[in-house]
Amino acid sequence: MNATAAVLNQANGPFDIEQVTVDAPGPGEVLVAIKAVGICHTDLVVASGAMGLQFPAVLGHEGAGVVEAVGEGVTAVWPGDKVLLTFNSCGHCKPCGKGEPAYCQQFVPLNMVAARGDGSSRVHRGETQVSDNFFGQSSFATKCIANQRNVLKLDADADLAVLAPLGCGIQTGVGAVLRSLKAEAGESLVVLGGGAVGLSALLGGLIAGCSHVIVIEPQESRRALATELGATHTIDPAAGDPVAAVRAIVTDGADLVVDTSGHMGIVAQSVNMIANRGRIGLVGVPGSLDAVLPVPVVQWITIGGTVRGIIEGDSDPATFLPELIAHHKAGKLPIEKFTTTYPLDQINQAIADAHSGKCIKAVLVTE
Ligand code: CXF
Ligand code: ZN
């Protein structure tokens, strides 16, 4: 099959719009005509080459589209079905068996390396093999091969350009609050960072019925959007001591903190924002693999605090994505307020706008 893809030929891009061929789906695989795909920070981290990506490569892991063909043994979807693509998992390890596929033992090889165990690729440019299978999809393209396990059938009237980012960024933020930290009504929440994941965490806090939802974010326009979305308070970290600012709002400290920034300076400060038995969830990936979080041990024992890492909001996509779609239908996840659509061939502009802060969540559309 012929397709158009945003191909990465070197570390950090640019992405080149090129004609490629995509193979027919093998057993358990699904050929999807991609209609929309969000850009997530992880695409850019992997595009830097820091994780050993083999070029040329197609990235993209918040795809949404229409099934064109299914391989042998696929029963979950059929040609013509609208589908949402998400992260992949093996389905038979212990975490997968417990309904925790985000902690699949094979998460890294199945999602982060844009390769298959047998070294094959389903995407070619002439005679050249193009790395695909990133997050089991590589959806910065008009067609991609996904897997039965990482596609979710949608209703025929689903708006693919709106729903695409649910597959990673939005389920990560909402899930961090609802599933990972298990926010309860009346608890107070601090969100570090007002990007797409942070705003999703804020919306998760509102869904949970948190008493206070406090967003700490340096950009004024993002703080304004957080307020519009329902944050009870916003804090500019440059305006003074953010710990004092949080404790001026919740005297005993916050019950929950979700870090989406990956900046260990503010995360280290958040240890002092926490109430007794407070929980901190780490979602934002630091720029360095060597990043460490200093925790004052005696203080931490005394308050009975918890710090934990979170992937994909502990999502089990088969059940959590439909919940998120229902929240969107009910008006509780107004994703449209922080997404901007660009044609696929404007991917480099979309990334530049994401870097400059001009857009929060860029979604590429193919037609
Ligand atoms: C990633 C973040 C880094 C760890 C794996 C999951 N999330 C999605 O982009
Ligand atoms: Zn992502």
Side-chain angles (χ1 to χ4, degrees):
M1 256 76 55
N2 294 323
T4 303
V7 178
L8 193 66
N9 287 295
Q10 59 188 23
N12 288 316
F15 289 85
D16 300 313
I17 301 300
E18 296 180 349
Q19 299 309 303
V20 296
T21 57
V22 179
D23 294 348
E29 294 180 344
V30 180
L31 174 67
V32 181
I34 295 296
K35 304 298 178 192
V37 51
I39 300 177
C40 168
H41 183 63
T42 303
D43 293 306
L44 309 181
V45 172
V46 173
S48 75
M51 306 202 55
L53 181 67
Q54 295 293 304
F55 304 103
V58 178
L59 300 177
H61 66 281
E62 291 184 347
V66 178
V67 174
E68 285 209 339
V70 298
E72 190 191 319
V74 172
T75 53
V77 294
W78 200 244
D81 287 347
K82 282 187 177 175
V83 284
L84 188 57
L85 278 53
T86 185
F87 65 91
N88 202 6
S89 55
C90 77
H92 41 73
C93 67
K94 202 168 167 188
C96 283
K98 287 167 65 185
E100 297 182 335
Y103 303 97
C104 172
Q105 296 289 0
Q106 301 302 318
F107 188 92
V108 170
L110 288 176
N111 292 286
M112 304 294 288
V113 296
R116 289 182 181 74
D118 63 3
S120 69
S121 169
R122 304 283 181 271
V123 180
H124 295 83
R125 182 182 61 202
E127 297 296 300
T128 305
Q129 180 165 311
V130 179
S131 299
D132 80 325
N133 204 34
F134 183 60
F135 277 76
Q137 48 186 291
S138 289
S139 45
F140 288 161
T142 57
K143 293 186 200 300
C144 80
I145 295 290
N147 306 274
Q148 173 159 240
R149 271 193 70 76
N150 73 319
V151 297
L152 176 83
K153 183 177 170 180
L154 299 173
D155 289 345
D157 63 354
D159 187 334
L160 298 174
V162 171
L163 298 182
L166 289 181
C168 182
I170 291 171
Q171 74 180 341
T172 296
V174 181
V177 174
L178 296 183
R179 295 176 68 93
S180 314
L181 298 184
K182 299 186 170 33
E184 290 179 6
E187 289 193 308
S188 50
L189 168 68
V190 173
V191 179
L192 307 179
V197 178
L199 295 175
S200 300
L202 136 64
L203 295 170
L206 298 179
I207 290 169
C210 287
S211 58
H212 300 77
V213 181
I214 304 164
V215 176
I216 303 185
E217 161 59 47
Q219 277 189 42
E220 202 279 327
S221 60
R222 292 186 175 195
R223 291 197 303 275
L225 182 54
T227 302
E228 187 188 331
L229 290 172
T232 57
H233 304 78
T234 63
I235 293 171
D236 176 0
D241 175 11
V243 175
V246 167
R247 286 189 175 269
I249 300 163
V250 277
T251 319
D252 291 339
D255 298 304
L256 310 168
V257 171
V258 173
D259 176 60
T260 69
S261 75
H263 292 295
M264 289 307 109
I266 185 77
V267 179
Q269 286 181 299
S270 79
V271 168
N272 296 314
M273 295 173 188
I274 283 296
N276 289 359
R277 300 308 313 273
R279 292 103 74 196
I280 298 179
L282 304 179
V283 174
V285 180
S288 162
L289 288 177
D290 300 327
V292 291
L293 173 63
V295 173
V297 177
V298 175
Q299 175 194 343
W300 205 242
I301 290 171
T302 310
I303 69 169
T306 302
V307 185
R308 60 155 294 189
I310 297 169
I311 288 187
E312 299 285 346
D314 290 7
S315 177
D316 182 357
T319 56
F320 190 47
L321 289 174
E323 280 176 37
L324 293 178
I325 291 167
H327 285 313
H328 176 258
K329 275 195 184 139
K332 293 181 179 172
L333 271 185
I335 310 162
E336 300 87 336
K337 290 204 169 153
F338 55 90
T339 54
T340 309
T341 55
Y342 296 79
L344 176 65
D345 64 9
Q346 293 301 305
I347 182 170
N348 296 309
Q349 185 63 52
I351 292 168
D353 289 353
H355 274 141
S356 73
K358 191 171 164 194
C359 87
I360 294 183
K361 167 63 76 177
V363 176
L364 306 169
V365 291
T366 60
E367 53 191 43

Short mmCIF file of all heavy atoms in Angstrom, two decimals, residues 51-81:
data_model
loop_
_atom_site.label_atom_id
_atom_site.label_comp_id
_atom_site.label_asym_id
_atom_site.label_seq_id
_atom_site.Cartn_x
_atom_site.Cartn_y
_atom_site.Cartn_z
N MET A 51 17.39 7.53 22.62
CA MET A 51 17.03 6.16 22.98
C MET A 51 17.44 5.15 21.91
O MET A 51 16.92 4.04 21.86
CB MET A 51 15.54 6.09 23.28
CG MET A 51 15.19 7.14 24.33
SD MET A 51 13.71 6.84 25.24
CE MET A 51 13.96 5.23 25.89
N GLY A 52 18.33 5.58 21.03
CA GLY A 52 18.89 4.64 20.06
C GLY A 52 18.02 4.37 18.85
O GLY A 52 18.16 3.34 18.20
N LEU A 53 17.15 5.32 18.51
CA LEU A 53 16.27 5.14 17.34
C LEU A 53 17.10 4.93 16.08
O LEU A 53 18.09 5.64 15.85
CB LEU A 53 15.40 6.40 17.19
CG LEU A 53 14.40 6.41 16.05
CD1 LEU A 53 13.31 5.37 16.28
CD2 LEU A 53 13.77 7.81 15.91
N GLN A 54 16.70 3.96 15.26
CA GLN A 54 17.37 3.70 13.99
C GLN A 54 16.68 4.50 12.88
O GLN A 54 15.46 4.36 12.69
CB GLN A 54 17.29 2.21 13.64
CG GLN A 54 18.04 1.30 14.61
CD GLN A 54 19.55 1.51 14.56
OE1 GLN A 54 20.15 1.40 13.50
NE2 GLN A 54 20.14 1.85 15.70
N PHE A 55 17.43 5.32 12.16
CA PHE A 55 16.87 6.15 11.08
C PHE A 55 17.01 5.43 9.75
O PHE A 55 17.94 4.65 9.59
CB PHE A 55 17.59 7.50 11.03
CG PHE A 55 17.54 8.23 12.35
CD1 PHE A 55 18.64 8.26 13.20
CD2 PHE A 55 16.38 8.88 12.74
CE1 PHE A 55 18.60 8.91 14.41
CE2 PHE A 55 16.33 9.55 13.97
CZ PHE A 55 17.44 9.56 14.80
N PRO A 56 16.10 5.69 8.79
CA PRO A 56 14.91 6.52 8.89
C PRO A 56 13.84 5.85 9.74
O PRO A 56 13.81 4.62 9.85
CB PRO A 56 14.46 6.67 7.43
CG PRO A 56 14.97 5.44 6.75
CD PRO A 56 16.26 5.09 7.43
N ALA A 57 12.96 6.69 10.30
CA ALA A 57 11.94 6.15 11.21
C ALA A 57 10.66 6.97 11.10
O ALA A 57 10.69 8.15 10.75
CB ALA A 57 12.45 6.20 12.65
N VAL A 58 9.56 6.31 11.40
CA VAL A 58 8.27 7.00 11.54
C VAL A 58 7.86 6.90 13.01
O VAL A 58 7.79 5.80 13.56
CB VAL A 58 7.18 6.40 10.62
CG1 VAL A 58 5.85 7.12 10.84
CG2 VAL A 58 7.59 6.49 9.16
N LEU A 59 7.60 8.05 13.62
CA LEU A 59 7.13 8.08 15.02
C LEU A 59 5.62 8.36 15.03
O LEU A 59 4.95 8.15 14.04
CB LEU A 59 7.93 9.13 15.81
CG LEU A 59 9.45 8.86 15.85
CD1 LEU A 59 10.18 9.99 16.60
CD2 LEU A 59 9.74 7.51 16.53
N GLY A 60 5.12 8.85 16.16
CA GLY A 60 3.68 9.11 16.27
C GLY A 60 2.99 8.01 17.06
O GLY A 60 3.10 6.84 16.69
N HIS A 61 2.33 8.41 18.18
CA HIS A 61 1.70 7.37 19.00
C HIS A 61 0.38 7.80 19.62
O HIS A 61 -0.04 7.26 20.63
CB HIS A 61 2.69 6.86 20.06
CG HIS A 61 3.07 7.88 21.09
ND1 HIS A 61 4.00 8.87 20.87
CD2 HIS A 61 2.66 8.06 22.37
CE1 HIS A 61 4.14 9.59 21.96
NE2 HIS A 61 3.31 9.13 22.88
N GLU A 62 -0.27 8.79 19.00
CA GLU A 62 -1.63 9.15 19.44
C GLU A 62 -2.53 9.13 18.20
O GLU A 62 -3.23 10.09 17.91
CB GLU A 62 -1.64 10.53 20.09
CG GLU A 62 -0.92 10.59 21.43
CD GLU A 62 -1.02 11.96 22.11
OE1 GLU A 62 -1.44 12.94 21.43
OE2 GLU A 62 -0.67 12.05 23.30
N GLY A 63 -2.50 8.01 17.49
CA GLY A 63 -3.22 7.92 16.22
C GLY A 63 -4.70 7.61 16.40
O GLY A 63 -5.12 7.03 17.41
N ALA A 64 -5.47 8.01 15.38
CA ALA A 64 -6.89 7.65 15.30
C ALA A 64 -7.21 7.54 13.83
O ALA A 64 -6.74 8.35 13.02
CB ALA A 64 -7.76 8.71 15.97
N GLY A 65 -7.98 6.54 13.44
CA GLY A 65 -8.25 6.37 12.01
C GLY A 65 -9.32 5.35 11.75
O GLY A 65 -10.17 5.06 12.61
N VAL A 66 -9.25 4.79 10.54
CA VAL A 66 -10.26 3.83 10.09
C VAL A 66 -9.53 2.56 9.65
O VAL A 66 -8.54 2.63 8.90
CB VAL A 66 -11.07 4.42 8.91
CG1 VAL A 66 -12.09 3.40 8.39
CG2 VAL A 66 -11.78 5.72 9.33
N VAL A 67 -10.02 1.44 10.11
CA VAL A 67 -9.39 0.16 9.75
C VAL A 67 -9.56 -0.10 8.26
O VAL A 67 -10.67 0.01 7.72
CB VAL A 67 -10.02 -1.00 10.57
CG1 VAL A 67 -9.48 -2.35 10.10
CG2 VAL A 67 -9.76 -0.79 12.05
N GLU A 68 -8.45 -0.45 7.60
CA GLU A 68 -8.53 -0.78 6.17
C GLU A 68 -8.45 -2.28 5.95
O GLU A 68 -9.01 -2.79 4.98
CB GLU A 68 -7.39 -0.09 5.40
CG GLU A 68 -7.65 1.37 5.21
CD GLU A 68 -7.00 1.93 3.95
OE1 GLU A 68 -6.04 1.33 3.44
OE2 GLU A 68 -7.47 3.00 3.52
N ALA A 69 -7.70 -2.97 6.78
CA ALA A 69 -7.56 -4.43 6.60
C ALA A 69 -7.12 -5.02 7.94
O ALA A 69 -6.49 -4.34 8.75
CB ALA A 69 -6.52 -4.74 5.52
N VAL A 70 -7.48 -6.27 8.14
CA VAL A 70 -7.04 -6.94 9.38
C VAL A 70 -6.30 -8.22 9.03
O VAL A 70 -6.61 -8.88 8.03
CB VAL A 70 -8.23 -7.25 10.34
CG1 VAL A 70 -8.91 -5.97 10.79
CG2 VAL A 70 -9.22 -8.20 9.70
N GLY A 71 -5.31 -8.56 9.87
CA GLY A 71 -4.56 -9.79 9.67
C GLY A 71 -5.28 -10.98 10.29
O GLY A 71 -6.30 -10.83 10.98
N GLU A 72 -4.67 -12.14 10.06
CA GLU A 72 -5.22 -13.40 10.57
C GLU A 72 -5.42 -13.34 12.10
O GLU A 72 -4.57 -12.82 12.82
CB GLU A 72 -4.19 -14.49 10.24
CG GLU A 72 -4.61 -15.89 10.45
CD GLU A 72 -3.37 -16.79 10.32
OE1 GLU A 72 -2.51 -16.55 9.43
OE2 GLU A 72 -3.26 -17.71 11.14
N GLY A 73 -6.54 -13.81 12.55
CA GLY A 73 -6.78 -13.92 13.99
C GLY A 73 -7.33 -12.66 14.63
O GLY A 73 -7.59 -12.65 15.84
N VAL A 74 -7.51 -11.59 13.85
CA VAL A 74 -8.03 -10.35 14.45
C VAL A 74 -9.55 -10.43 14.52
O VAL A 74 -10.21 -10.66 13.50
CB VAL A 74 -7.59 -9.10 13.64
CG1 VAL A 74 -8.30 -7.84 14.15
CG2 VAL A 74 -6.07 -8.93 13.73
N THR A 75 -10.07 -10.26 15.72
CA THR A 75 -11.53 -10.34 15.89
C THR A 75 -12.11 -9.05 16.48
O THR A 75 -13.31 -8.84 16.43
CB THR A 75 -11.88 -11.50 16.86
OG1 THR A 75 -11.12 -11.32 18.06
CG2 THR A 75 -11.56 -12.86 16.25
N ALA A 76 -11.25 -8.21 17.07
CA ALA A 76 -11.75 -7.05 17.82
C ALA A 76 -12.25 -5.93 16.91
O ALA A 76 -13.12 -5.14 17.30
CB ALA A 76 -10.65 -6.52 18.73
N VAL A 77 -11.67 -5.82 15.71
CA VAL A 77 -12.07 -4.75 14.80
C VAL A 77 -12.20 -5.31 13.39
O VAL A 77 -11.69 -6.40 13.09
CB VAL A 77 -11.06 -3.58 14.81
CG1 VAL A 77 -11.05 -2.87 16.15
CG2 VAL A 77 -9.65 -4.06 14.45
N TRP A 78 -12.80 -4.52 12.51
CA TRP A 78 -13.11 -4.96 11.16
C TRP A 78 -12.89 -3.79 10.21
O TRP A 78 -12.99 -2.64 10.64
CB TRP A 78 -14.59 -5.42 11.15
CG TRP A 78 -14.94 -6.33 10.02
CD1 TRP A 78 -15.83 -6.06 9.01
CD2 TRP A 78 -14.43 -7.64 9.77
NE1 TRP A 78 -15.89 -7.11 8.15
CE2 TRP A 78 -15.05 -8.11 8.60
CE3 TRP A 78 -13.51 -8.48 10.43
CZ2 TRP A 78 -14.77 -9.35 8.04
CZ3 TRP A 78 -13.24 -9.72 9.89
CH2 TRP A 78 -13.86 -10.15 8.72
N PRO A 79 -12.59 -4.06 8.91
CA PRO A 79 -12.44 -2.93 7.99
C PRO A 79 -13.66 -2.01 8.02
O PRO A 79 -14.79 -2.48 8.06
CB PRO A 79 -12.28 -3.62 6.63
CG PRO A 79 -11.61 -4.92 6.98
CD PRO A 79 -12.24 -5.34 8.29
N GLY A 80 -13.37 -0.71 8.06
CA GLY A 80 -14.45 0.28 8.15
C GLY A 80 -14.66 0.81 9.55
O GLY A 80 -15.24 1.88 9.73
N ASP A 81 -14.16 0.09 10.55
CA ASP A 81 -14.32 0.56 11.93
C ASP A 81 -13.43 1.77 12.19
O ASP A 81 -12.25 1.78 11.81
CB ASP A 81 -13.89 -0.52 12.94
CG ASP A 81 -14.88 -1.67 13.04
OD1 ASP A 81 -16.01 -1.54 12.55
OD2 ASP A 81 -14.49 -2.71 13.64
#
